[in-house]
Amino acid sequence: MTQSTALLTDRYELTMLDAALHAGTHERRCVFEVFGRSLPGGRRYGVLAGVGRVLDAIEAFRFGEDELSWLSDNAIVGSRTLDWLADYRFRGDVWGYREGELYFPGSPVLVVEGSFAEAVILETVVLSVLNYDSAVATAAARMVSAAAGRPIAEMGSRRVGERSAVAAARAAWIAGFSATSNLEAGRTWGVPTMGTAAHAFTLLHDTEEQAFRAQVDALGPSTTLLVDTFDVPTAVRRAVEVAGTSLGAVRIDSGDLPVQVAEVRELLDSLGATETRITVTNDLDEFGIAALSASPVDSYGVGTSLVTGSGAPAAGMVYKLVAHQDSAGEWLSVAKRSANKASVGGRKHAYRRLSESGTATTELIRVDAAPVDGERPGSGERALHVPLIQDGVIDPRWRGAAGAAAARAHHADVLKELPPQAFRLRAGDPVIPTVTA
Amino acid sequence: MTQSTALLTDRYELTMLDAALHAGTHERRCVFEVFGRSLPGGRRYGVLAGVGRVLDAIEAFRFGEDELSWLSDNAIVGSRTLDWLADYRFRGDVWGYREGELYFPGSPVLVVEGSFAEAVILETVVLSVLNYDSAVATAAARMVSAAAGRPIAEMGSRRVGERSAVAAARAAWIAGFSATSNLEAGRTWGVPTMGTAAHAFTLLHDTEEQAFRAQVDALGPSTTLLVDTFDVPTAVRRAVEVAGTSLGAVRIDSGDLPVQVAEVRELLDSLGATETRITVTNDLDEFGIAALSASPVDSYGVGTSLVTGSGAPAAGMVYKLVAHQDSAGEWLSVAKRSANKASVGGRKHAYRRLSESGTATTELIRVDAAPVDGERPGSGERALHVPLIQDGVIDPRWRGAAGAAAARAHHADVLKELPPQAFRLRAGDPVIPTVTA
């Protein structure tokens, strides 16, 4: 049984619903859009993740007996609103960027069309998913490009809320990580999992040699032995003694990595373990990975910095009403004018304009007052919106493990459109401008 | 039905279990401890949160048919390990700091005693919960002290993964926040909820006046009207026209807050709405709150900075083996010697030493090789460990809404022990030293 997501909601959404029902304005057809005003942390491009999870969250957004009685007992909304919520399921349309797609400031990554009532109450859960998952994917993509083809594994579960950990593993995989330590991400999303042993395993045994032997006996010589519990060179020698020169890999989780890695490579080679790989996992971020590019590292493991968005832990996306029908049924573009938070009214369509050689040059946004069903890419433009939900029916292609795999493939494809300066790690402007036509 | 937490686990824990079962070392009695090597972000004190959630996660850490068949199909562990996991429930002991308690570098906030096998596999989920919840609580406590008695509401759900949002609301409440926007936190943990309307509600209606009237009609004049969708002074006048001088509050969510707040207060007073409160919610953190201390603000709402730990999104706690019985049944203290990550072996007991006037002076840690059942506070010392689980039986006092309320009360009590310099916002050393005896 799927857990209801209906109370993963800010109270003001239900209060607004209550007031709109009272005023008779709740059925006005509306367009809400999700976009970010900027790319946090001076990122050159954003990576959209969480779309498949948003679709699951919308499907599970149902008010059962438990939810309704709590809302009633706590006088959150009136009885008419309770009746309305009891029948709720989202029956509108959702368009959006494909998961794994790149985005820029103002990109309308999700467009929700429906009555005010049915669309306004989805705000919090939609943003929670997209803001966290996209923050992780955006950080992950930078780490993947810094690793320049060497595999990276996600191992940050212990540094973030236990369910966000699963989302982080999924988002990192979509952005090009090769594996995760998180088993639930393997089960739910089909992400490849990895992991062998921690320091505790070495410390449990009477000697390091005994620990290595126990691990190799159980897992075979192709395993990865952790060599920094006591003295690294001693442990590397022991590891090769125990596992032989076919030892799969050694892992280093502490110390001055460029120096350590070079010494360990030399030692492994001198022992004949020339095929034994070196994996490093000590508090790495994209800068630490880049600093190891000249070192004989075979693979990386990244934890804290990945799951906390490497300095930008939330993508800063907002969910805004941009158009609605008025009391006469006319479509109106609407926008608030709050200082520093003004928005652009009207339903947006989005295209990525490409040069003749296929390089992205512009994020092009076309604005209408009324919703237009379907995209109209011009020559040299790629339409960015796909239908995700139509009349309440969710497109299954974007969901589950298959949806996550498709997102990963799509991300790899569209990344090739970016100009080389996109992959600079230092903070700067978005690599292409957003133009609203 | 509670969801299983068993796969919220890094693969290496099950791999270690597999190897230990193979070697026959899995039943060695062990002590694992959770502690942080430092307080991230130069915080003066840490606030422990998540204990009640850890107890729930341990109870739900069971391997059912679904989990076992996935582990089997994916060859994560061998068949003997699968049999062992099928019978798993934690039967050991857990001691820990009370939820809401303060902690310092090296504080043994959780002590897990049991067989290697039963204790090692809890590492990831225990750390996920404590690292996230404590990061939020530690940031929240700084905001509460900066607010100097004015109420603060948590409204950051949209800026963090959807289930972490519930944990954040709970942690902030324990650390002294007065309410949350998150309805699930209200239902599950008894946190008071709040919220009225967003800009979308104003934009939905043909005029701002119509929107205000709809809200006041439905919610009464004691509601909070959002006054920055278009022009603030115009909106404040309209708000008082519509709701009368008994209008509950106005909310400002943008602009230069100290200036805005002073102008709005003056305007409200000139309109006779002298009792109408002002609440502000624009990207505040502890520094922004402190900067408004001289302004006539009545309450604050905090979002992004709270749920992302205000610059320190993970508490950095680790779960380390510190003692175990060897093959002869003798207790050994163990510690790794990895560069920069060395740990102190042995089972720790923790006490807060207080001056005669009741001010905390020292975090005192006493170390034993063998577990000692019970604490031995000296004169002027407060024992910090309480039993949380004994022989697998969880103490109900620390769980559910009652446990969260008890944690909030405990936090308020122990905060009074801190010397005044603890409440300086700028980065610095922990306010009391940790001494290992």
Side-chain angles (χ1 to χ4, degrees):
Chain A
M1 193 199 64
T2 313
Q3 255 186 309
S4 170
T5 55
L7 296 190
L8 300 174
T9 298
D10 286 328
R11 178 167 167 164
Y12 77 0
E13 286 149 40
L14 298 193
T15 319
M16 285 191 274
L17 170 61
D18 210 45
L21 267 162
H22 197 271
T25 47
H26 64 292
E27 288 292 3
R28 289 186 178 186
R29 189 88 180 164
C30 285
V31 179
F32 285 85
E33 284 177 359
V34 176
F35 59 92
R37 293 194 178 91
S38 61
L39 296 176
R43 301 289 155 80
R44 306 309 180 96
Y45 61 95
V47 179
L48 180 68
V51 176
R53 298 205 317 113
V54 162
L55 297 177
D56 289 351
I58 291 176
E59 184 174 76
F61 203 95
R62 302 295 290 271
F63 293 81
E65 273 311 311
D66 282 358
E67 288 76 28
L68 293 168
S69 60
W70 184 80
L71 292 172
S72 174
D73 294 349
N74 290 271
I76 306 289
V77 291
S79 62
R80 200 173 142 206
T81 304
L82 289 170
D83 290 344
W84 189 92
L85 292 173
D87 286 334
Y88 178 77
R89 68 178 183 83
F90 181 73
R91 294 176 173 87
D93 300 326
V94 179
W95 294 71
Y97 281 32
R98 283 188 60 176
E99 186 157 13
E101 185 58 81
L102 313 177
Y103 73 91
F104 299 92
S107 294
V109 296
L110 205 77
V111 180
V112 179
E113 304 184 6
S115 71
F116 177 78
E118 71 182 337
V120 75
I121 62 180
L122 298 176
E123 176 178 18
T124 303
V125 74
V126 164
L127 288 178
S128 292
V129 173
L130 294 181
N131 272 324
Y132 180 66
D133 293 22
S134 299
V136 171
T138 299
R142 287 160 57 85
M143 296 171 187
V144 171
S145 66
R150 291 171 178 168
I152 317 186
E154 186 283 312
M155 34 199 288
S157 295
R158 63 193 54 198
R159 302 289 182 224
V160 68
E162 69 282 12
R163 298 282 166 192
S164 289
V166 185
R170 177 184 180 280
W173 191 60
I174 287 170
F177 272 52
S178 53
T180 179
S181 60
N182 187 289
L183 292 171
E184 191 65 63
R187 173 167 71 160
T188 307
W189 302 107
V191 183
T193 63
M194 49 69 66
T196 52
H199 297 106
F201 189 76
T202 300
L203 294 172
L204 170 71
H205 290 85
D206 296 346
T207 64
E208 190 175 53
E209 184 185 341
Q210 194 186 90
F212 285 176
R213 201 167 296 284
Q215 188 179 327
V216 170
D217 283 352
L219 307 174
S222 69
T223 192
T224 299
L225 292 171
L226 178 59
V227 292
D228 72 337
T229 306
F230 305 113
D231 178 63
V232 173
T234 310
V236 170
R237 282 196 191 85
R238 262 186 204 131
V240 177
E241 274 165 32
V242 168
T245 54
S246 61
L247 173 62
V250 296
R251 177 161 80 94
I252 308 172
D253 185 45
S254 58
D256 180 3
L257 290 178
V259 174
Q260 291 257 28
V261 167
E263 289 176 358
V264 168
R265 180 73 270 158
E266 200 173 339
L267 181 53
L268 284 170
D269 289 348
S270 76
L271 296 168
T274 55
E275 301 298 309
T276 298
R277 297 179 307 283
I278 299 176
T279 188
V280 297
T281 58
N282 183 32
D283 271 348
L284 291 172
D285 61 10
E286 61 268 48
F287 302 102
I289 291 168
L292 285 164
S293 60
S295 294
V297 171
D298 296 286
S299 62
Y300 304 95
V302 180
T304 309
S305 67
L306 188 275
V307 300
T308 60
S310 199
M317 292 181 191
V318 295
Y319 184 95
K320 293 295 168 192
L321 180 65
V322 296
H324 69 83
Q325 290 182 302
D326 67 10
S327 47
E330 288 294 306
W331 277 97
L332 293 176
S333 294
V334 295
K336 63 174 177 171
R337 296 199 297 267
S338 321
N340 305 321
K341 288 188 176 178
S343 47
V344 177
R347 182 4 175 147
K348 319 287 186 312
H349 295 264
Y351 308 90
R352 190 147 303 145
R353 187 170 277 164
L354 305 167
S355 71
E356 284 189 13
S357 62
T359 303
T361 62
T362 310
E363 187 81 343
L364 180 66
I365 315 289
R366 295 203 180 94
V367 184
D368 293 298
V372 176
D373 206 22
E375 308 292 313
R376 306 147 298 160
S379 159
E381 293 171 9
R382 183 162 67 80
L384 297 171
H385 281 157
V386 294
L388 301 170
I389 303 181
Q390 297 202 286
D391 297 327
V393 180
I394 302 176
D395 190 325
R397 284 178 297 166
W398 318 118
R399 303 180 71 183
R408 177 176 160 88
H410 183 67
H411 175 72
D413 282 346
V414 298
L415 208 61
K416 295 176 194 144
E417 295 175 356
L418 286 182
Q421 60 270 31
F423 304 104
R424 290 183 188 154
L425 292 182
R426 66 171 186 277
D429 289 329
V431 70
I432 60 171
T434 304
V435 173
T436 302
Chain B
M1 194 198 65
T2 313
Q3 256 185 306
S4 170
T5 55
L7 296 189
L8 299 173
T9 298
D10 286 327
R11 179 168 166 163
Y12 77 1
E13 284 149 41
L14 298 194
T15 318
M16 286 190 274
L17 170 61
D18 211 45
L21 267 161
H22 197 270
T25 46
H26 64 292
E27 290 291 3
R28 290 186 178 185
R29 188 91 180 162
C30 286
V31 179
F32 285 85
E33 284 177 358
V34 176
F35 61 91
R37 294 194 176 90
S38 62
L39 297 175
R43 301 290 157 79
R44 306 310 181 95
Y45 61 95
V47 179
L48 180 69
V51 176
R53 298 205 317 113
V54 162
L55 298 177
D56 289 350
I58 291 176
E59 183 174 77
F61 203 94
R62 302 294 290 272
F63 293 81
E65 272 311 311
D66 283 358
E67 287 75 28
L68 293 168
S69 59
W70 185 80
L71 292 173
S72 174
D73 294 348
N74 290 273
I76 306 289
V77 292
S79 62
R80 197 171 145 208
T81 305
L82 289 171
D83 290 345
W84 190 92
L85 292 173
D87 285 335
Y88 178 78
R89 68 176 183 84
F90 181 74
R91 295 177 173 86
D93 300 327
V94 179
W95 294 71
Y97 281 33
R98 282 189 59 175
E99 187 158 11
E101 184 58 82
L102 313 178
Y103 72 91
F104 298 91
S107 295
V109 296
L110 205 76
V111 179
V112 179
E113 303 184 7
S115 71
F116 177 77
E118 71 181 339
V120 75
I121 62 178
L122 297 176
E123 175 178 19
T124 303
V125 75
V126 164
L127 288 178
S128 291
V129 173
L130 295 181
N131 272 324
Y132 180 67
D133 293 21
S134 299
V136 171
T138 299
R142 287 159 59 83
M143 296 172 188
V144 170
S145 66
R150 292 172 179 168
I152 317 186
E154 186 283 312
M155 33 199 288
S157 294
R158 61 194 56 197
R159 304 288 182 224
V160 68
E162 70 280 12
R163 298 282 166 192
S164 289
V166 184
R170 177 185 181 281
W173 191 61
I174 287 170
F177 271 52
S178 53
T180 179
S181 60
N182 188 290
L183 292 171
E184 191 64 63
R187 173 169 68 161
T188 307
W189 301 108
V191 183
T193 63
M194 49 68 67
T196 53
H199 297 105
F201 190 76
T202 301
L203 294 173
L204 170 71
H205 290 85
D206 297 345
T207 64
E208 190 175 53
E209 185 185 341
Q210 195 186 87
F212 285 176
R213 201 166 296 283
Q215 187 179 329
V216 171
D217 283 353
L219 307 173
S222 68
T223 191
T224 299
L225 292 171
L226 177 59
V227 292
D228 71 340
T229 306
F230 305 112
D231 177 64
V232 173
T234 310
V236 170
R237 283 196 191 86
R238 264 187 203 128
V240 176
E241 274 164 32
V242 168
T245 53
S246 60
L247 172 63
V250 296
R251 177 162 80 95
I252 307 172
D253 185 45
S254 57
D256 180 4
L257 291 179
V259 175
Q260 291 257 28
V261 167
E263 290 175 357
V264 168
R265 181 73 270 158
E266 200 172 338
L267 181 54
L268 284 170
D269 289 348
S270 76
L271 297 167
T274 54
E275 301 299 309
T276 299
R277 297 179 308 282
I278 299 175
T279 187
V280 298
T281 57
N282 183 34
D283 272 347
L284 292 171
D285 61 10
E286 60 268 48
F287 303 101
I289 292 168
L292 285 164
S293 61
S295 294
V297 171
D298 296 286
S299 62
Y300 303 94
V302 181
T304 309
S305 67
L306 188 276
V307 299
T308 60
S310 200
M317 292 180 190
V318 294
Y319 184 95
K320 293 294 168 193
L321 180 66
V322 295
H324 69 83
Q325 290 182 304
D326 67 11
S327 47
E330 288 294 307
W331 277 97
L332 292 176
S333 294
V334 294
K336 64 175 176 170
R337 296 198 297 267
S338 319
N340 305 320
K341 288 186 175 179
S343 46
V344 177
R347 184 359 177 149
K348 320 286 184 312
H349 296 264
Y351 308 89
R352 190 148 303 145
R353 186 171 278 164
L354 305 168
S355 71
E356 284 190 11
S357 62
T359 301
T361 62
T362 310
E363 187 81 342
L364 180 67
I365 314 289
R366 296 204 179 92
V367 184
D368 292 298
V372 177
D373 206 23
E375 307 292 314
R376 306 147 298 160
S379 159
E381 293 171 7
R382 182 162 69 80
L384 296 171
H385 281 157
V386 295
L388 301 170
I389 302 181
Q390 297 200 285
D391 297 327
V393 179
I394 301 176
D395 190 324
R397 283 178 299 164
W398 318 119
R399 302 181 71 183
R408 178 176 159 89
H410 183 68
H411 175 72
D413 282 346
V414 296
L415 207 61
K416 294 178 194 142
E417 295 175 357
L418 286 183
Q421 59 271 32
F423 304 104
R424 290 182 189 156
L425 292 182
R426 67 170 184 276
D429 287 330
V431 70
I432 59 171
T434 305
V435 174
T436 302

